[in-house]
Amino acid sequence: MKRLTFVMDSPEGLHVTEAGPLVKTAQQYPCTITLSHGDKIVDAKKMLSVLRLGAKYGDRIMATFDGAYEQEAAEAFAAIVTPAE
């Protein structure tokens, strides 16, 4: 299992423009990928689920990768998000 914490860096928060690349990337890998924010945990491969996270500018989101190609999936996510320090 791999984990990656990133920061929502869009002033508008998490909406379709930001969620689209995350969902598209997640769908390319057979592993289970979830996103969590606060007490919400959602399937990163489903657009509506990702949008329901309701993350705002500056919020931290954790991505969890579990299964086949989890390392590659985590690296692909790291390339499109702003990792948390």
Side-chain angles (χ1 to χ4, degrees):
M1 181 181 303
K2 299 285 182 186
R3 291 193 173 137
L4 169 68
T5 302
F6 61 96
V7 176
M8 180 49 49
D9 61 356
S10 169
E12 293 84 27
L14 184 59
H15 58 86
V16 175
T17 304
E18 282 72 32
L22 294 176
V23 172
K24 192 177 244 186
T25 299
Q27 290 173 343
Q28 294 176 10
Y29 296 92
C31 59
T32 299
I33 304 173
T34 58
L35 299 177
S36 60
H37 171 63
D39 61 349
K40 297 178 186 174
I41 301 172
V42 301
D43 183 346
K45 296 179 182 183
K46 297 181 179 179
M47 177 66 81
L48 289 178
S49 294
V50 173
L51 292 173
R52 285 189 190 118
L53 278 177
K56 297 183 179 8
Y57 177 77
D59 286 350
R60 290 174 178 255
I61 300 171
M62 179 177 287
T64 304
F65 309 85
D66 190 24
Y69 298 99
E70 64 187 31
Q71 179 66 40
E72 292 84 350
E75 290 171 3
F77 259 65
I80 61 171
V81 299
T82 302
E85 296 177 9

